[in-house]
Amino acid sequence: MRKGFGSIILDVGFRHLTPFLILYAVYVLVHGHYGPGGGFQAGALLGLAVVLGRVVQGQDAELGIGLSGGLVLACTGALIFLAIGLASLLWGGNFLDYGVLPIASAPAEARALGILGIEAGVTMGVMGVIIIMFDLLTRRGERE
Amino acid sequence: MMELIQVALLLIQVVCAVIALTSRDLMVAVILFAAFSFCSALLFTMMGAVDVAFTEAIIGTATTVFYVAVIYRVERGSSK
């Protein structure tokens, strides 16, 4: 979307809404152990924060993560997921068996931290994919 | 009481789906699809599947944004 809908009311609403949206996404990610939520929902919320800015302010939005930024985010998220899974293979457990990772003294603590790392990877991947989808749907084609 | 609310939500869903399928205006179809998604999120909450309802609400919003962004670029409805 090259030009946003950009009225001043939308702009002020976007500026006041986005910090709470991002804070809520981080809460959903971190609190995913104990309640509803988790990596996918947090990533979708973060992606929607970026997409909201793109809809309201157009191409040069603040929080302007473009197509290449989205690609980097999505691939880094997938890489984090794979790296944690393979690291637990490397330390002698099964794939995604976080209990054997040497990141904490107790296996239960290592498992919690490993799940948090996986969820962070999923969050980055989903956020990147939502930004990529929005960019591809709204960019101008080469023929125009 | 809960059963009444659930029946009402299901009826709203059926009406939304039928109108969205038969409408010629794409914007009407997208907005009714968003209403359908919101009713499903409420139904999932009543059934105790809060996680599913949360996902449904977020993905309903995201797909609505995507559809509206596409309608912004293509023809909005057929002329017939």
Side-chain angles (χ1 to χ4, degrees):
Chain A
M1 207 162 272
R2 193 60 51 95
K3 244 180 67 185
F5 291 118
S7 78
I8 187 152
I9 295 176
L10 286 177
D11 204 52
V12 171
F14 162 71
R15 279 163 202 272
H16 282 89
L17 198 59
T18 307
F20 295 105
L21 200 53
I22 294 175
L23 184 67
Y24 182 58
V26 174
Y27 165 75
V28 167
L29 168 66
V30 177
H31 199 258
H33 287 289
Y34 310 109
F40 184 82
Q41 286 96 331
L45 280 170
L46 283 174
L48 278 180
V50 177
V51 165
L52 183 66
R54 195 69 55 78
V55 167
V56 171
Q57 295 185 337
Q59 190 83 344
D60 315 315
E62 300 170 44
L63 281 177
I65 302 175
L67 189 58
S68 52
L71 271 174
V72 168
L73 264 177
C75 296
T76 312
L79 199 66
I80 288 175
F81 194 102
L82 193 66
I84 293 179
L86 288 182
S88 48
L89 267 185
L90 202 64
W91 264 276
N94 292 321
F95 187 67
L96 293 180
D97 182 11
Y98 328 101
V100 297
L101 288 178
I103 46 179
S105 49
E109 199 178 340
R111 211 163 278 140
L113 284 174
I115 291 176
L116 189 62
I118 291 284
E119 297 277 333
V122 172
T123 303
M124 288 173 73
V126 172
M127 179 188 178
V129 167
I130 282 188
I131 295 169
I132 291 171
M133 279 167 70
F134 185 77
D135 253 11
L136 289 183
L137 284 176
T138 57
R139 75 168 177 187
R140 288 173 182 276
E142 281 77 17
R143 284 175 293 142
E144 289 173 333
Chain B
M1 188 60 197
M2 284 302 257
E3 285 79 11
L4 269 180
I5 297 176
Q6 286 188 358
V7 167
L9 282 175
L10 283 170
L11 279 178
I12 292 173
Q13 276 194 319
V14 170
V15 171
C16 281
V18 169
I19 298 178
L21 281 175
T22 54
S23 152
R24 295 221 171 265
D25 194 338
L26 283 178
M27 193 62 99
V28 171
V30 165
I31 290 171
L32 283 175
F33 181 68
F36 181 93
S37 157
F38 184 68
C39 288
S40 346
L42 285 182
L43 277 173
F44 289 144
T45 314
M46 284 182 185
M47 294 173 197
V50 187
D51 215 349
V52 183
F54 192 14
T55 312
E56 174 70 40
I58 290 179
I59 295 305
T61 315
T63 50
T64 306
V65 171
F66 287 159
Y67 292 148
V68 171
V70 171
I71 289 174
Y72 193 63
R73 297 198 44 188
V74 299
E75 198 75 18
R76 186 168 151 177
S78 67
S79 52
K80 265 200 297 187

